[in-house]
Amino acid sequence: MCGIFGYVGKKTNAAGMILEGLRLLEYRGYDSWGIATKVKSQNAKVKSFLAVEKHVGKIGDAKVDLPQSALGIGHTRWATHGGVTQENSHPHLDCTKNIAVVHNGIIENYQELKEVLLKKGHSFLSETDTEVFPHLIEEYLASKGETLQGKGFTEAFRLAFNQIKGLNAIVAINADTNEIAAAKTGSPLIIGVSENEFYVASDAIGILKHTNKIVFLEDNQMVMLGKKLRLTKLPEGEELEPAVNTLDWKFEDAIKGRFEHFLLKEIHEQPQVISNIALNYSDQTKKLAKLIKESYGTFLLGCGTASYAGLFGTYLFSSIAKRHVNFSIGSEFNYLENYLTPKSLVIPISQSGETIDIVEPVNRAKQKGSKVASLVNVLGSTLYRQSDFKVLLGAGSEKAVIGTKSFTAMISVLFLTAYTLVKKQKEAKNLLLSAAKNVEEILKEDYTKNIKKLALEFKNKEHIYILGRGLSYATALEATLKIKETTYVHAEGFAGGELKHGVIALIEKGTPVFIIAPNDETFDDIISNAQEVKARGGFIIGIGPRKSDVFDRFLQTRDITEATIIPQVVISQLFAYYLALSRGIKDPDKPRNLAKSVTVK
Ligand code: AGP
C-alpha cells in the first residue's frame, strides 16, 4: 500500500518528475516520502553518487532540493514495519550508500536475512523489513566473479530478489550504473514506455502524464530499465518479450479539475459511469450471466465497499432472477472455501484488483479448478490477470481513498447481469439510465444544499445509525462505511429487523438515525422500525421515494425499483463528504490510517 515512482531517460529533472509522480500516488499511502537520484560527481575520484532526500508527513506543496539528474526513484509510505520516522522512510541504502531501494509489500523472512547481514558486518539505520534488500545487493556485488557472471547490478538484484519471501514490489538504483532494476510478486508495478526513457510506478496514474504506453509487470518478473527495457522471468532470469498496452485513461482523469477534492469529483462522475454501463455492457453482462447459469455454486467476494456490492448482489439475484448467489467478505472466504469445486464460479469484486484479501482466496479457488469472473476497475491489475473472465468497471481512475464511483459501477454491473439472467436487459438499461438521471438531479446545488444543511446540523454528533432491510441493508452498511472512513464519526448500519434484538439500546434523545426506505416490500416494516426509534427520542432522516410522518428530515429520490439504491448511496456519499468538511477535515481524499488498496494482510 505504498506508492513507488521511478524515472530513467534523457530529461534531467528526474527529482521533480518523481515528486510529481509521488503526489499522484499519495492515495496509496502518505505517512512519509523520499527520493534518491543518481548525480554526476564534480570530484574526479568519484564518478557518481546518490543524492537522497526523505521527509515525514504528506508531500503537500513540498519542493524537492536535489541536483539535476536523469535517473531516480521515489516512495510515499504506508507504514507496515517500523513507525513513521525519517529513518524508516524510503529509499533505503546499503553501507556504501551506492544502492537505493524502494519497496511495497512485506519481506516475510527479513529477520533471518538481517541476522546474517549483521553478522557479516552490515549496519542498519531503520526498523524496516525493506532495509535488508540494499544490503543483499551489496553482498552480491561484493562477491563479484562467478555468481554475477560479470553482469553486476542486474545479477545482484535478481539473486537478492530470489532470496526474499512474501508479496513484494521492489525498485532499486545503483550509483555505478544507469539502470533501474525492478521486480514484483503480488504488489503492483507498471512500466511506462516512451522515446528512450522509462517510468516505473505502482499505478499507471503516476505515468499517464508522460506516456500511455504501459507494460504491466507480472508476478515473478524482473525488468532492467536503461538504454532499453529488458524483461526476464524469475528466478532464473530467462529473457521475455514485453507486451506493451495502450491505456485509454487520460491524464486529466487524475487531476481534480473544477473540484476541491477528488472525492467530490468522483461522486460527480457517477452519472456517466452508470450510463456507460447501461448503454455499453450488454455483451459483457450476457457472458457473465451465462457463466452464472452454467455454474453449480456462485460466490460473490469483496472487501469493504466492494463487499457491500457483493451483499447487494445476493439480494438482487434472488429478487430479480430467483437465483441463489452466495456472498462472502474476501478475508472470511479463506475459512469458507472448502466447498469449492471445478463447477464453482467465484466472482471477486475489486476496484484496485490488488486487494490481498481477494487475490489470495482467488488463487486458492483457481487451484481448486473453480472459474473466476471478476468485476475490476484497474486494467492489468493482479485480479484482472488472475481471472478467466473479467468485466472492467470503466469507472476511470479513482484517486480518493474513499470508493464512490467504483461502487455504483459494481452495483450497476450486478444489476444489469441479474436482469440479463431473466432476459430483461432493456428494462434494466432504462432503470439504470433513470438512476443516472436521478443522481444528476441530486448533484445539483438546489438538492445538495439540503445535504449540506444536514451535515452542519449533525457536525457534533458522535454516533450515527442507518437502518435498512433487504437490498437496503447493504445500502445501510455502505452508507455507514462512507461516514466512518470520511468523517471518523462512529456510524453503524443495521438490518431493521435487528433493532429490537439489542441495537435499540443505543438510541438516546437526538440520536440521528437514517432510514433507507425504497418503495418496496420493506417499506412498511422499516417505517415501523423508525417509529420505534422515534418513540425513544431518535431523530429520523428518511431517504427514498416515499414521504412518511415519522421522518424529521426527508431526502427524496426517484422510485426506480431495486436501482433506488444508487441515488440513496450517492446521498450518503455527499452527506459523508460535507460532514467531513463541517468537522474541519481538510483532506477527505486521504483519510487518516487508510490507503486506497490494501495489498498487505
Ligand atoms: C472504500 O471506500 C474503502 N476505502 C475500502 O473499503 C475498499 O472498498 C476496500 O479496501 C476494497 O478495495 P478494492 O475494491 O480495491 O478491492
Side-chain angles (χ1 to χ4, degrees):
M1 286 144 57
C2 304
I4 289 175
F5 194 92
Y7 171 79
V8 57
K10 47 191 190 290
K11 297 188 185 82
T12 57
N13 64 333
M17 283 197 290
I18 292 167
L19 185 64
E20 186 187 42
L22 293 180
R23 261 199 197 95
L24 290 169
L25 296 170
E26 259 198 318
Y27 70 94
R28 300 178 57 85
Y30 32 87
D31 296 329
S32 57
W33 60 277
I35 295 174
T37 54
K38 175 185 171 176
V39 181
K40 284 206 177 13
S41 163
Q42 306 305 324
N43 167 348
K45 291 202 192 65
V46 174
K47 265 188 358 312
S48 306
F49 64 94
L50 295 185
V52 181
E53 187 172 333
K54 308 210 263 192
H55 301 269
V56 170
K58 292 178 183 173
I59 295 174
D61 300 330
K63 297 267 180 293
V64 71
D65 181 19
L66 290 171
Q68 290 294 309
S69 168
L71 164 65
I73 55 176
H75 183 275
T76 177
R77 185 173 182 236
W78 188 86
T80 53
H81 286 68
V84 180
T85 63
Q86 178 123 358
E87 296 68 34
N88 289 337
S89 60
H90 301 212
H92 289 288
L93 307 180
D94 69 316
C95 302
T96 69
K97 309 289 177 226
N98 274 333
I99 299 163
V101 166
V102 291
H103 166 225
N104 179 12
I106 293 177
I107 298 176
E108 291 172 358
N109 59 331
Y110 85 95
Q111 279 106 333
E112 63 192 79
L113 292 171
K114 190 166 180 173
E115 273 153 39
V116 170
L117 290 162
L118 285 166
K119 284 197 188 100
K120 290 185 174 183
H122 290 264
S123 53
F124 287 79
L125 305 177
S126 80
E127 308 155 302
T128 67
D129 54 332
T130 309
E131 197 181 359
V132 298
F133 202 85
H135 294 282
L136 285 175
I137 297 177
E138 180 190 3
E139 265 304 298
Y140 281 113
L141 283 175
S143 69
K144 291 213 186 311
E146 67 294 339
T147 48
L148 302 180
Q149 293 101 34
K151 285 191 267 181
F153 183 48
T154 306
E155 274 306 284
F157 183 93
R158 181 178 69 83
L159 294 168
F161 196 84
N162 289 342
Q163 270 206 278
I164 64 172
K165 293 195 176 72
L167 300 175
N168 295 291
I170 295 197
V171 179
I173 58 173
N174 164 351
D176 300 334
T177 68
N178 292 313
E179 289 191 295
I180 291 179
K184 74 174 282 274
T185 54
S187 283
L189 270 186
I190 319 278
I191 310 298
V193 182
S194 186
E195 202 58 39
N196 304 322
E197 54 187 5
F198 297 99
Y199 303 81
V200 55
S202 310
D203 179 334
I205 208 161
I207 297 174
L208 279 172
K209 179 170 194 176
H210 306 288
T211 177
N212 63 356
K213 298 272 177 283
I214 303 287
V215 173
F216 294 100
L217 212 52
E218 305 265 352
D219 286 353
N220 300 311
Q221 285 186 350
M222 173 179 160
V223 70
M224 295 303 291
L225 304 172
K227 288 268 172 287
K228 57 192 180 73
L229 182 159
R230 283 179 295 132
L231 184 66
T232 55
K233 187 169 173 26
L234 294 174
E236 296 312 322
E238 307 92 311
E239 292 283 330
L240 294 169
E241 192 49 44
V244 182
N245 295 273
T246 303
L247 257 195
D248 64 359
W249 282 1
K250 295 170 194 55
F251 176 64
E252 52 275 9
D253 286 346
I255 53 174
K256 290 174 202 162
R258 64 186 172 89
F259 296 96
E260 192 187 352
H261 299 110
F262 282 112
L263 180 51
L264 188 59
K265 173 176 182 271
E266 289 154 8
I267 290 172
H268 276 253
E269 289 172 349
Q270 293 179 107
Q272 73 251 32
V273 170
I274 299 160
S275 306
N276 172 49
I277 290 166
L279 297 169
N280 304 315
Y281 276 55
S282 60
D283 289 349
Q284 299 183 71
T285 46
K286 276 181 187 147
K287 287 185 189 130
L288 183 56
K290 184 168 178 293
L291 288 169
I292 293 172
K293 264 201 182 117
E294 289 164 355
S295 75
Y296 184 72
T298 300
F299 303 88
L300 293 165
L301 301 187
C303 299
T305 285
S307 77
Y308 306 131
L311 179 60
F312 168 77
T314 52
Y315 288 102
L316 206 62
F317 283 107
S318 165
S319 69
I320 292 169
K322 311 283 175 285
R323 179 114 193 155
H324 175 204
V325 173
N326 303 286
F327 153 74
S328 169
I329 293 170
S331 53
E332 286 302 301
F333 198 59
N334 296 311
Y335 320 112
L336 281 171
E337 62 186 355
N338 304 312
Y339 42 54
L340 287 181
T341 72
K343 286 185 156 176
S344 307
L345 174 67
V346 173
I347 304 181
I349 306 169
S350 172
Q351 189 287 128
S352 63
E354 299 299 347
T355 298
I356 191 66
D357 289 328
I358 292 289
V359 165
E360 284 200 337
V362 165
N363 274 333
R364 274 199 294 286
K366 287 170 74 72
Q367 285 156 13
K368 292 197 169 85
S370 303
K371 260 204 177 17
V372 176
S374 61
L375 274 56
V376 59
N377 194 41
V378 178
L379 174 72
S381 58
T382 303
L383 178 63
Y384 178 89
R385 285 175 286 111
Q386 279 176 307
S387 304
D388 304 304
F389 176 71
K390 39 257 183 180
V391 178
L392 267 176
L393 294 169
S397 62
E398 188 173 69
K399 293 212 22 59
V401 167
I402 310 298
T404 50
K405 60 180 182 174
S406 59
F407 178 74
T408 42
M410 292 168 188
I411 55 177
S412 298
V413 170
L414 292 170
F415 187 85
L416 193 52
T417 306
Y419 272 82
T420 303
L421 275 171
V422 289
K423 302 189 184 352
K424 291 185 177 172
Q425 267 201 348
K426 193 159 173 14
E427 185 180 337
K429 187 180 102 173
N430 294 333
L431 288 167
L432 286 177
L433 290 173
S434 177
K437 199 92 202 90
N438 194 189
V439 171
E440 277 173 0
E441 293 155 356
I442 289 164
L443 293 171
K444 287 196 169 55
E445 184 49 32
D446 61 357
Y447 189 104
T448 305
K449 67 181 184 229
N450 305 312
I451 300 173
K452 286 179 185 171
K453 221 166 99 213
L454 205 58
L456 272 175
E457 205 173 347
F458 290 163
K459 75 174 192 167
N460 297 317
K461 290 294 179 185
E462 283 175 30
H463 306 284
I464 294 176
Y465 302 111
I466 304 186
L467 299 184
R469 287 171 173 260
L471 278 178
S472 303
Y473 171 44
T475 314
L477 294 176
E478 168 54 12
T480 48
L481 179 60
K482 292 299 94 124
I483 295 170
K484 278 183 265 211
E485 59 182 353
T486 315
T487 75
Y488 316 146
V489 168
H490 169 244
E492 283 310 318
F494 297 105
E498 281 297 282
L499 187 65
K500 293 188 283 294
H501 298 289
V503 170
I504 200 161
L506 295 168
I507 306 302
E508 297 172 325
K509 181 153 182 35
T511 303
V513 177
F514 286 80
I515 301 294
I516 308 295
N519 184 23
D520 63 11
E521 75 274 12
T522 68
F523 186 80
D524 294 341
D525 290 337
I526 203 71
I527 292 301
S528 311
N529 290 142
Q531 280 151 354
E532 291 156 358
V533 169
K534 189 153 188 149
R536 288 157 182 82
F539 188 88
I540 309 298
I541 308 97
I543 304 181
R546 279 171 64 176
K547 290 188 184 348
S548 165
D549 297 343
V550 74
F551 297 152
D552 296 301
R553 297 280 182 281
F554 177 52
L555 293 165
Q556 186 157 27
T557 70
R558 285 189 185 192
D559 182 355
I560 16 184
T561 69
E562 290 84 357
T564 308
I565 180 177
I566 292 176
Q568 288 173 321
V569 160
V570 171
I571 288 170
S572 73
Q573 294 166 353
L574 289 166
F575 174 76
Y577 175 70
Y578 290 113
L579 183 61
L581 299 188
S582 73
R583 289 169 59 83
I585 291 175
K586 292 276 172 290
D587 185 1
D589 287 336
K590 302 188 198 76
R592 67 186 181 201
N593 308 341
L594 289 179
K596 182 66 176 174
S597 177
V598 182
T599 56
V600 291
K601 278 199 281 199

